[in-house]
Amino acid sequence: MRSISLFATLAIAGIATAPAAAEDAALPYELAEPVDIGLAPVGEAPPARYFQDSDIDENILLPGARTDDDDNDRKYSRDYFAIAAGAMSVPDYNGSDERRILPAFYLRGRYEGFSFSTRGTNFQVDLIRHRRGQKIDWKFGPIVSLRADRTGSVKDPRVDLLPDRKMAVEMGVFTGVTKTGVITSAYDQIGFRVVALKDISGRHGSWAASPTIDYGTPLSKRAFVGISASMNVYGKGFGRYYFDVDPMGSAASGLPVYTGAGQKATIGKYTLGMAGAYALSGDLRKGFVLIGGAQYGRMGDRFADSPIVKDAGSADQWLFGGGLAYQF
């Protein structure tokens, strides 16, 4: 389930791996919904097992491929489908200083004005239909997510001796708004989005919320760049389950006992991302597109002080990815 979240919009944006660490490691861009008035943005996606986490910045906008819309009688935006694949370098777990190379996969589409997409190991549907030619796009819909951070072996021998975490199933909603035609042209976009998730599987038994702001602009018909910033806020149960170390875990691993992450809801991570796309076909709106991106994340104080980060890992989290996307 490991995939990429940094390059969804760029054509690879399809992170198929990303529960807890996923969020942090999500690709910086993912294919965004094409806009009927011109180039559409693309976003990002996170890797499986470590990429789906809400910690990952999933909203860097990148151009979406599409043909020109010449149907003046159509009420809703044109139907489309996008697929992307590639590879990504991500932390071994959320807070690790070891790295893994993971495959990435991403799907996104729209039918009769309703948009849907995979973001790492989650799936979401926008229930607000996108009308043809609109410049302000409101978004709202359900989201289902799998969080699999530290569900298997990890490279650090001390953290590996801690009890394995079980995959968490989370459900929630997302909402946001995107404005097209802001600064550089009629086709650049700025967007704001909030995702709220609740564990329904009884693993960490808590919640996660992540507001994100992003901006993307085409440099030409061939090239597109995007930037994004976000933070991830977690409930007490989340910090306790993933970052605290109890006496039994301390005895097994040699790491010190720690209870600070689970004492109260806290900001778990801040992220900044950049992404870019280059159309092999000569037109970002259709065909094959090369994509690539990088994301920097900084763990919040209570998570950064956890022994799995402070002693066995690093508060600085980097993510790099690239791949190829096709939209039609």
Side-chain angles (χ1 to χ4, degrees):
M1 297 178 89
R2 301 167 179 170
S3 72
I4 316 172
S5 164
L6 295 173
F7 45 89
T9 284
L10 299 177
I12 238 187
I15 300 173
T17 70
E23 215 170 33
D24 298 320
L27 298 183
Y29 40 89
E30 88 182 311
L31 296 175
E33 304 157 359
V35 178
D36 281 328
I37 60 174
L39 296 182
V42 186
E44 78 180 356
R49 181 195 171 188
Y50 167 82
F51 238 41
Q52 172 335 102
D53 217 328
S54 305
D55 295 352
I56 295 180
D57 178 354
E58 319 168 334
N59 282 335
I60 290 186
L61 297 180
L62 295 178
R66 61 176 288 281
T67 57
D68 290 334
D69 185 0
D70 55 3
D71 183 358
N72 294 326
D73 296 327
R74 195 162 40 75
K75 183 177 181 180
Y76 297 106
S77 296
R78 181 181 296 279
D79 298 343
Y80 78 97
F81 184 78
I83 184 171
M88 174 169 261
S89 173
V90 303
D92 186 38
Y93 61 85
N94 196 1
S96 175
D97 60 358
E98 302 279 357
R99 305 195 66 78
R100 291 180 182 268
I101 302 296
L102 302 177
F105 182 71
Y106 176 85
L107 291 173
R108 187 182 184 95
R110 179 168 57 216
Y111 180 73
E112 294 293 324
F114 294 107
S115 300
F116 61 89
S117 67
T118 60
R119 289 172 178 263
T121 53
N122 69 34
F123 178 75
Q124 59 187 26
V125 178
D126 185 359
L127 299 180
I128 301 179
R129 290 174 124 177
H130 190 282
R131 292 180 176 273
R132 177 180 177 274
Q134 70 181 50
K135 293 189 175 183
I136 296 180
D137 180 19
W138 293 93
K139 304 175 185 293
F140 176 82
I143 181 171
V144 178
S145 175
L146 302 179
R147 189 179 298 272
D149 198 25
R150 289 171 50 205
T151 54
S153 63
V154 299
K155 292 184 177 181
D156 187 279
R158 294 167 294 177
V159 178
D160 196 39
L161 290 173
L162 293 173
D164 288 343
R165 306 291 84 171
K166 295 183 179 180
M167 180 177 291
V169 180
E170 301 168 340
M171 292 188 66
V173 297
F174 69 91
T175 186
V177 61
T178 297
K179 173 71 167 64
T180 300
V182 183
I183 302 173
T184 62
S185 70
Y187 308 118
D188 66 334
Q189 291 190 344
I190 187 169
F192 177 75
R193 167 189 173 94
V194 177
V195 175
L197 294 167
K198 177 69 172 66
D199 176 25
I200 61 170
S201 60
R203 303 312 185 196
H204 60 79
S206 192
W207 55 270
S210 55
T212 299
I213 186 170
D214 49 53
Y215 174 77
T217 183
L219 302 178
S220 67
K221 289 188 70 175
R222 285 180 174 270
F224 186 95
V225 295
I227 57 175
S228 180
S230 69
M231 66 179 181
N232 300 282
V233 184
Y234 300 102
K236 293 188 295 183
F238 185 97
R240 185 181 306 119
Y241 190 70
Y242 290 107
F243 290 91
D244 280 354
V245 178
D246 62 20
M248 291 185 61
S250 175
S253 65
L255 294 171
V257 173
Y258 183 73
T259 60
Q263 289 182 354
K264 65 178 183 179
T266 186
I267 297 176
K269 190 174 187 180
Y270 305 87
T271 65
L272 292 173
M274 296 184 64
Y278 183 81
L280 298 178
S281 64
D283 190 336
L284 286 167
R285 297 169 297 178
K286 55 189 176 183
F288 288 100
V289 181
L290 289 174
I291 60 177
Q295 179 175 291
Y296 170 73
R298 177 72 182 182
M299 306 298 294
D301 291 344
R302 288 182 176 272
F303 285 15
D305 286 341
S306 168
I308 72 169
V309 179
K310 185 176 181 179
D311 299 335
S314 173
D316 298 309
Q317 302 282 284
W318 285 94
L319 184 109
F320 307 94
L324 180 68
Y326 183 76
Q327 186 165 302
F328 55 93

